[in-house]
Amino acid sequence: MGAQENVQVVKNGYAAFGRGDVPGLLALFAEDIEWHVPGKGLPTSGDYRGHSGVTNFFQKLAAEVEFLDFQPIEFVAEGDSVLVIGSDRAKIRATNRTLEATWVHAFTLRDGKVTKFREFTDTQAIAAAYEGASRAAV
């Protein structure tokens, strides 16, 4: 698949996420997907593998965060790689604090499926939003 087709797969993923359609999102992922979220000690950080691992990540995310706004803004593609620059505003459930973040999501695709996801964001700001929550190991 070409770069623009890969961008469309990623856009379809964000649309599914926005609808809360995790099964639809998983359908866009390879069975052996690798999913990485930074922030050692933060509730959703870590490495997740396969559909079951990614499902676990989205369950944690839903339990931890209420998104008030989520915007993928710019898509940059070359070959099998798609980078997305975006921002969000979210409420951290454990502290009731609102967090505004800018992020980059890096996707690798093979044969029209996402095989790897990596997030780059301000983990220090996320840790600060969890400060004082008993379950946050910051």
Short mmCIF file of all heavy atoms in Angstrom, two decimals, residues 83-112:
data_model
loop_
_atom_site.label_atom_id
_atom_site.label_comp_id
_atom_site.label_asym_id
_atom_site.label_seq_id
_atom_site.Cartn_x
_atom_site.Cartn_y
_atom_site.Cartn_z
N LEU A 83 3.16 9.52 10.69
CA LEU A 83 3.28 10.29 11.93
C LEU A 83 2.07 11.22 12.03
O LEU A 83 1.68 11.84 11.03
CB LEU A 83 4.55 11.12 11.94
CG LEU A 83 5.86 10.37 11.86
CD1 LEU A 83 7.03 11.36 11.82
CD2 LEU A 83 6.02 9.41 13.02
N VAL A 84 1.51 11.30 13.22
CA VAL A 84 0.36 12.16 13.44
C VAL A 84 0.69 13.10 14.58
O VAL A 84 1.09 12.66 15.66
CB VAL A 84 -0.90 11.35 13.78
CG1 VAL A 84 -2.10 12.28 13.94
CG2 VAL A 84 -1.16 10.30 12.71
N ILE A 85 0.54 14.39 14.32
CA ILE A 85 0.73 15.41 15.35
C ILE A 85 -0.66 15.83 15.80
O ILE A 85 -1.53 16.12 14.97
CB ILE A 85 1.51 16.61 14.80
CG1 ILE A 85 2.87 16.15 14.27
CG2 ILE A 85 1.66 17.69 15.88
CD1 ILE A 85 3.56 17.16 13.39
N GLY A 86 -0.87 15.83 17.11
CA GLY A 86 -2.19 16.16 17.60
C GLY A 86 -2.17 16.73 19.00
O GLY A 86 -1.10 16.94 19.59
N SER A 87 -3.35 16.97 19.51
CA SER A 87 -3.49 17.48 20.86
C SER A 87 -4.76 16.93 21.48
O SER A 87 -5.65 16.46 20.78
CB SER A 87 -3.52 19.01 20.85
OG SER A 87 -4.69 19.47 20.20
N ASP A 88 -4.80 17.00 22.78
CA ASP A 88 -6.03 16.61 23.48
C ASP A 88 -6.16 17.38 24.77
O ASP A 88 -5.21 18.01 25.24
CB ASP A 88 -6.08 15.09 23.74
CG ASP A 88 -5.00 14.58 24.66
OD1 ASP A 88 -4.90 15.06 25.81
OD2 ASP A 88 -4.24 13.69 24.25
N ARG A 89 -7.35 17.34 25.28
CA ARG A 89 -7.66 17.88 26.60
C ARG A 89 -8.44 16.77 27.28
O ARG A 89 -9.40 16.24 26.72
CB ARG A 89 -8.49 19.15 26.48
CG ARG A 89 -8.61 19.94 27.77
CD ARG A 89 -9.13 21.35 27.53
NE ARG A 89 -10.41 21.36 26.85
CZ ARG A 89 -11.59 21.27 27.47
NH1 ARG A 89 -11.65 21.16 28.78
NH2 ARG A 89 -12.71 21.28 26.77
N ALA A 90 -7.99 16.42 28.48
CA ALA A 90 -8.59 15.27 29.16
C ALA A 90 -8.65 15.51 30.67
O ALA A 90 -7.84 16.25 31.22
CB ALA A 90 -7.78 14.02 28.87
N LYS A 91 -9.61 14.84 31.28
CA LYS A 91 -9.72 14.87 32.74
C LYS A 91 -9.14 13.57 33.27
O LYS A 91 -9.52 12.48 32.82
CB LYS A 91 -11.16 15.02 33.17
CG LYS A 91 -11.33 15.11 34.69
CD LYS A 91 -12.75 15.36 35.07
CE LYS A 91 -13.50 14.06 35.06
NZ LYS A 91 -14.86 14.12 35.57
N ILE A 92 -8.22 13.67 34.21
CA ILE A 92 -7.65 12.51 34.88
C ILE A 92 -8.64 12.12 35.99
O ILE A 92 -8.89 12.90 36.91
CB ILE A 92 -6.25 12.82 35.47
CG1 ILE A 92 -5.30 13.32 34.38
CG2 ILE A 92 -5.69 11.61 36.19
CD1 ILE A 92 -5.06 12.36 33.24
N ARG A 93 -9.21 10.95 35.88
CA ARG A 93 -10.27 10.56 36.82
C ARG A 93 -9.78 10.49 38.27
O ARG A 93 -10.51 10.84 39.20
CB ARG A 93 -10.86 9.22 36.40
CG ARG A 93 -11.59 9.28 35.05
CD ARG A 93 -12.25 7.93 34.72
NE ARG A 93 -12.64 7.82 33.35
CZ ARG A 93 -13.73 8.35 32.81
NH1 ARG A 93 -14.53 9.08 33.54
NH2 ARG A 93 -14.01 8.16 31.53
N ALA A 94 -8.54 10.06 38.49
CA ALA A 94 -8.03 9.86 39.85
C ALA A 94 -7.88 11.17 40.62
O ALA A 94 -7.96 11.18 41.84
CB ALA A 94 -6.68 9.13 39.80
N THR A 95 -7.67 12.28 39.90
CA THR A 95 -7.43 13.56 40.57
C THR A 95 -8.43 14.63 40.16
O THR A 95 -8.42 15.71 40.75
CB THR A 95 -6.02 14.08 40.25
OG1 THR A 95 -5.92 14.29 38.83
CG2 THR A 95 -4.96 13.12 40.74
N ASN A 96 -9.24 14.35 39.16
CA ASN A 96 -10.18 15.31 38.61
C ASN A 96 -9.48 16.53 38.01
O ASN A 96 -10.08 17.59 37.87
CB ASN A 96 -11.23 15.72 39.65
CG ASN A 96 -12.52 16.15 38.99
OD1 ASN A 96 -12.90 15.65 37.94
ND2 ASN A 96 -13.20 17.10 39.62
N ARG A 97 -8.21 16.38 37.67
CA ARG A 97 -7.46 17.47 37.04
C ARG A 97 -7.60 17.38 35.53
O ARG A 97 -7.67 16.30 34.96
CB ARG A 97 -5.98 17.40 37.40
CG ARG A 97 -5.72 17.70 38.85
CD ARG A 97 -4.23 17.86 39.10
NE ARG A 97 -4.02 18.09 40.51
CZ ARG A 97 -3.29 17.30 41.30
NH1 ARG A 97 -2.67 16.25 40.79
NH2 ARG A 97 -3.16 17.57 42.57
N THR A 98 -7.60 18.55 34.89
CA THR A 98 -7.64 18.61 33.43
C THR A 98 -6.23 18.77 32.92
O THR A 98 -5.44 19.56 33.44
CB THR A 98 -8.53 19.77 32.95
OG1 THR A 98 -9.85 19.58 33.46
CG2 THR A 98 -8.57 19.84 31.44
N LEU A 99 -5.92 18.02 31.90
CA LEU A 99 -4.60 18.01 31.29
C LEU A 99 -4.75 18.36 29.82
O LEU A 99 -5.61 17.81 29.12
CB LEU A 99 -3.98 16.61 31.43
CG LEU A 99 -2.70 16.32 30.66
CD1 LEU A 99 -1.55 17.12 31.25
CD2 LEU A 99 -2.40 14.84 30.70
N GLU A 100 -3.93 19.29 29.35
CA GLU A 100 -3.85 19.59 27.93
C GLU A 100 -2.50 19.11 27.44
O GLU A 100 -1.48 19.40 28.06
CB GLU A 100 -4.03 21.08 27.68
CG GLU A 100 -5.43 21.55 28.03
CD GLU A 100 -5.71 22.97 27.61
OE1 GLU A 100 -5.07 23.46 26.65
OE2 GLU A 100 -6.60 23.58 28.23
N ALA A 101 -2.50 18.34 26.35
CA ALA A 101 -1.26 17.74 25.88
C ALA A 101 -1.16 17.83 24.36
O ALA A 101 -2.17 17.78 23.66
CB ALA A 101 -1.19 16.28 26.30
N THR A 102 0.06 17.96 23.90
CA THR A 102 0.38 17.82 22.49
C THR A 102 1.15 16.52 22.36
O THR A 102 1.93 16.18 23.25
CB THR A 102 1.24 19.01 22.01
OG1 THR A 102 0.51 20.21 22.23
CG2 THR A 102 1.58 18.89 20.54
N TRP A 103 0.92 15.79 21.29
CA TRP A 103 1.54 14.49 21.13
C TRP A 103 1.89 14.21 19.68
O TRP A 103 1.39 14.88 18.77
CB TRP A 103 0.66 13.38 21.69
CG TRP A 103 -0.80 13.50 21.35
CD1 TRP A 103 -1.79 13.97 22.16
CD2 TRP A 103 -1.46 13.17 20.10
NE1 TRP A 103 -3.00 13.95 21.51
CE2 TRP A 103 -2.82 13.46 20.24
CE3 TRP A 103 -1.02 12.66 18.89
CZ2 TRP A 103 -3.75 13.26 19.22
CZ3 TRP A 103 -1.94 12.46 17.86
CH2 TRP A 103 -3.28 12.76 18.05
N VAL A 104 2.73 13.20 19.50
CA VAL A 104 3.00 12.63 18.19
C VAL A 104 2.77 11.14 18.31
O VAL A 104 3.24 10.50 19.25
CB VAL A 104 4.46 12.90 17.73
CG1 VAL A 104 4.76 12.15 16.43
CG2 VAL A 104 4.71 14.39 17.56
N HIS A 105 2.00 10.59 17.38
CA HIS A 105 1.79 9.14 17.30
C HIS A 105 2.51 8.66 16.05
O HIS A 105 2.32 9.22 14.97
CB HIS A 105 0.30 8.81 17.20
CG HIS A 105 -0.47 9.10 18.44
ND1 HIS A 105 -1.85 9.16 18.46
CD2 HIS A 105 -0.07 9.32 19.72
CE1 HIS A 105 -2.26 9.41 19.69
NE2 HIS A 105 -1.20 9.52 20.47
N ALA A 106 3.31 7.63 16.22
CA ALA A 106 4.06 7.05 15.10
C ALA A 106 3.49 5.66 14.81
O ALA A 106 3.48 4.80 15.70
CB ALA A 106 5.54 6.96 15.44
N PHE A 107 3.02 5.47 13.60
CA PHE A 107 2.44 4.20 13.17
C PHE A 107 3.33 3.57 12.10
O PHE A 107 3.83 4.26 11.22
CB PHE A 107 1.06 4.42 12.54
CG PHE A 107 0.02 4.95 13.47
CD1 PHE A 107 -0.12 6.32 13.66
CD2 PHE A 107 -0.83 4.10 14.16
CE1 PHE A 107 -1.09 6.84 14.50
CE2 PHE A 107 -1.81 4.61 15.01
CZ PHE A 107 -1.93 5.98 15.18
N THR A 108 3.49 2.26 12.18
CA THR A 108 4.12 1.49 11.12
C THR A 108 3.05 0.53 10.59
O THR A 108 2.34 -0.10 11.39
CB THR A 108 5.33 0.70 11.65
OG1 THR A 108 6.25 1.61 12.25
CG2 THR A 108 6.02 -0.06 10.52
N LEU A 109 2.93 0.45 9.28
CA LEU A 109 1.92 -0.40 8.66
C LEU A 109 2.56 -1.42 7.74
O LEU A 109 3.64 -1.19 7.20
CB LEU A 109 0.92 0.45 7.86
CG LEU A 109 0.04 1.37 8.71
CD1 LEU A 109 0.64 2.74 8.83
CD2 LEU A 109 -1.35 1.43 8.15
N ARG A 110 1.88 -2.54 7.59
CA ARG A 110 2.28 -3.60 6.66
C ARG A 110 1.01 -4.20 6.08
O ARG A 110 0.10 -4.57 6.83
CB ARG A 110 3.09 -4.67 7.40
CG ARG A 110 3.58 -5.82 6.50
CD ARG A 110 4.30 -6.91 7.31
NE ARG A 110 3.37 -7.58 8.22
CZ ARG A 110 3.49 -7.62 9.54
NH1 ARG A 110 4.52 -7.08 10.15
NH2 ARG A 110 2.60 -8.26 10.28
N ASP A 111 0.93 -4.22 4.77
CA ASP A 111 -0.23 -4.82 4.09
C ASP A 111 -1.56 -4.23 4.58
O ASP A 111 -2.54 -4.96 4.77
CB ASP A 111 -0.24 -6.34 4.26
CG ASP A 111 1.01 -6.99 3.67
OD1 ASP A 111 1.52 -6.47 2.65
OD2 ASP A 111 1.49 -7.99 4.25
N GLY A 112 -1.58 -2.92 4.81
CA GLY A 112 -2.82 -2.25 5.19
C GLY A 112 -3.22 -2.39 6.64
O GLY A 112 -4.33 -1.99 7.00
#
